[in-house]
Each structure stands twice: as structure tokens, then as C-alpha cells.
Amino acid sequence: MLELRNIDFSYEDSRVLRNINLSINKGEKIALLGDNGAGKTTLFLCMNGVLKYKGDILYKGKKIGNKELRKKVGLVFQEPDVQMIATTVEREVSFGPMNMKISKDEVKDRTDRAITQLNLEEFRKRAVHYLSGGEKKRVCIADIIAMDSEVVLFDEPCAFLDTRNSLLLEKILNKMAEQRTIIVSTHDMDFAYRWADRFIIMEKGSIAADGGIEVFDTDYVEKPMLWKLMKIQGMEDYSRYPRSIEEYGDMYNG
Ligand code: ADP
């Protein structure tokens, strides 16, 4: 669905992305992992058509420019205040569709649907800076849902969220993944392990590993708790590794 070919990017004189090649398939749930400064945010900004990169990005087999890319690929920024530009929740969520050459009715329809889906009705007329961190994050997701992007990138979605809001966000991610291709950058290995079906690890601007849970055999990132537990128990077959506490319980209860 999305193919990155030889993507290179430099901020002035420092080269941040080095020859990135990736094929993203429809419906995948991907976790993008790697230390701070590895280039994850920069890669997202290239994939979303915000930065001017070297190399090619193909959408459904055809080369695609930055303007088109911005319509197909939505980015939920790590810091909501960087993403939000309008005054009220309603204006913020309708801003994207309003710039999309669609009818007024369609704009209203999409805005209403996104606001309902993210449970934001009571905040519709409220100024965005009077929202909590969790509410702001939901507005940023509503922005992207209203744009109807097929691929959605989340840059550290749980940063600044408390446990309750992180769990809510995980539910939202699961629901969104039923219809969209999702890539989430995260430092939370336990979340990545239970949520994703593919793991891409970046190191110093390059792809260091890309695959299933066997990537945790490398030393690029921390290992998830359940993964470590299975290793201690001597389990060799990765396909039998439980991906959640519930699945772990099921292993012992039949
Ligand atoms: P990550 O998201 O993995 O933490 P980033 O993409 O934010 O990594 O950063 C990759 C590298 O690019 C870092 O060394 C960072 O200092 C540098 N960088 C990020 N943004 C800028 C910028 N606007 N100007 C110059 N260097 C930047």
C-alpha cells in the first residue's frame, strides 16, 4: 500500500535518515521502536509529506508527491499543542475536511462522526486549550479520522497520558486498526508487544530490524515482560508466545 524507496533526509548538515526502504501493507499494525534521536519522528514527517526527503514514496504502486501524501497519510503528533491550530474543538476537527474540496454537508458529516467516535460531544464548543491532556489527544485523533486517512501514524501516543487514558487510547487504536493501517512509535515495549503484529526498529537513522516478535532477540530495544517470561520458561516457538496477560492465563487454564 505504501512503499518507501531509498529515503534520505538531513536537517541542514546532519543526516538523520539513511537509505530507508520499507513496504507497508494494508491493515498492518506496526510498532516503530528505537532510542530517542533514532529518527522515528523525522521518518513520520517524511511519510506524512511534511518534510522534503530524497528518494521515492509509492502509494498503491504509483509515485506520490507530498501534497497527495498528506491526504493519504495522517499523523497524530506527540504533543497535541503542536498539532492543533483552531480555537474550538469543532473548528479544529472540521479544519482538515474544510480544506479538502468536499461539500459543506460532507464536512459537517465527517466532523460529527469524528466527534462522536472520540466521545467529544460535550467539548464541541470548548476552546482547545481548556482541555486536559487526554481530551486534547482525542481531539488530535478526531482530526485525523475526519480526514479519512487510510494510513495513520501515531508519534508516541501515550506520552503525557495517565494509565486510564493510555488504556482508552489502546482501545481507540484497536478500533481504528479494523479499518486502517496503523503505525505507532513507542517506548512502551509491553504495549508494542501486545498490540502490534510487526515491529520495525530504527537505530541512528537506519532500519536495524523489521519483523515479528523475534526482533526482540536483538539488543536494540528493551525486551517486553511477557517475552522475557517465555524465554525464562524455555519456550522456543514464537508462534506460541502469549501476547497479553489474558493469553498467558489461557496457557495454564487449558
Ligand atoms: P526520534 O523521534 O526517534 O526521537 P527524531 O526524528 O526526533 O528522533 O530525531 C532524529 C535526529 O534529528 C536527532 O538527532 C535530532 O536531534 C535531530 N533533529 C530533529 N529535529 C530537528 C530539527 N528540526 N533540526 C535539526 N535537527 C533535528
Side-chain angles (χ1 to χ4, degrees):
M1 150 156 236
L2 207 59
E3 204 176 323
L4 279 64
R5 287 195 187 154
N6 309 318
I7 301 298
D8 255 74
F9 181 82
S10 302
Y11 287 108
E12 296 177 0
D13 54 358
S14 77
R15 193 169 167 212
V16 174
L17 296 181
R18 296 163 185 272
N19 198 31
I20 303 281
N21 286 285
L22 276 179
S23 274
I24 309 296
N25 305 307
K26 194 174 161 71
E28 279 186 312
K29 291 162 87 179
I30 301 175
L32 183 64
L33 312 173
D35 292 344
N36 286 330
K40 303 180 296 296
T41 302
T42 307
L43 180 63
F44 276 172
L45 291 171
C46 290
M47 290 176 75
N48 169 241
V50 169
L51 294 176
K52 221 168 169 302
Y53 48 84
K54 281 193 194 144
D56 293 323
I57 298 187
L58 282 75
Y59 174 77
K60 293 186 177 159
K62 283 202 189 116
K63 210 174 138 176
I64 182 172
N66 274 13
K67 206 170 155 212
E68 279 301 299
L69 207 49
R70 281 197 284 275
K71 287 187 201 152
K72 305 288 182 203
V73 183
L75 170 59
V76 178
F77 285 70
Q78 179 175 0
E79 291 177 45
D81 293 333
V82 175
Q83 182 176 330
M84 295 192 295
I85 40 181
T87 47
T88 68
V89 170
E90 189 173 50
R91 285 193 187 141
E92 172 63 30
V93 178
S94 61
F95 186 84
M98 260 189 334
N99 288 295
M100 282 183 88
K101 287 188 197 146
I102 49 177
S103 71
K104 264 190 174 165
D105 285 348
E106 169 91 30
V107 171
K108 186 174 177 324
D109 227 47
R110 285 189 185 202
T111 307
D112 288 349
R113 249 187 294 142
I115 284 179
T116 308
Q117 209 173 324
L118 273 302
N119 233 332
L120 290 163
E121 281 97 344
E122 62 179 300
F123 308 116
R124 201 181 245 278
K125 304 283 180 197
R126 191 180 290 183
V128 289
H129 55 270
Y130 289 135
L131 296 171
S132 73
E135 290 153 4
K136 281 183 183 172
K137 185 58 88 180
R138 269 153 51 210
V139 172
C140 291
I141 299 171
D143 276 357
I144 303 302
I145 286 185
M147 295 280 285
D148 217 9
S149 313
E150 288 177 59
V151 180
V152 185
L153 315 173
F154 284 84
D155 198 359
E156 305 231 10
C158 294
F160 316 122
L161 294 186
D162 57 29
T163 312
R164 196 180 68 85
N165 275 293
S166 297
L167 289 172
L168 178 67
L169 188 105
E170 200 171 325
K171 278 193 186 149
I172 294 170
L173 284 176
N174 280 332
K175 193 148 197 327
M176 286 178 77
E178 288 169 11
Q179 287 154 17
R180 295 176 174 82
T181 306
I182 313 263
I183 309 180
V184 178
S185 88
T186 182
H187 290 287
D188 183 340
M189 294 307 142
D190 292 320
F191 156 69
Y193 174 83
R194 67 176 177 266
W195 181 80
D197 46 38
R198 177 176 168 191
F199 305 86
I200 298 173
I201 305 180
M202 287 188 74
E203 196 183 60
K204 296 186 185 127
S206 301
I207 305 290
D210 179 359
I213 56 172
E214 73 279 0
V215 298
F216 293 107
D217 269 328
T218 63
D219 286 326
Y220 298 114
V221 289
E222 272 292 302
K223 299 169 196 322
M225 185 68 85
L226 273 172
W227 190 95
K228 279 197 272 194
L229 204 57
M230 286 299 107
K231 282 277 163 178
I232 290 169
Q233 293 182 7
M235 173 77 83
E236 285 178 7
D237 181 359
Y238 284 129
S239 70
R240 294 181 59 205
Y241 274 42
R243 299 294 276 270
S244 63
I245 287 292
E246 289 73 24
E247 281 182 29
Y248 180 69
D250 290 345
M251 276 176 79
Y252 291 96
N253 301 324

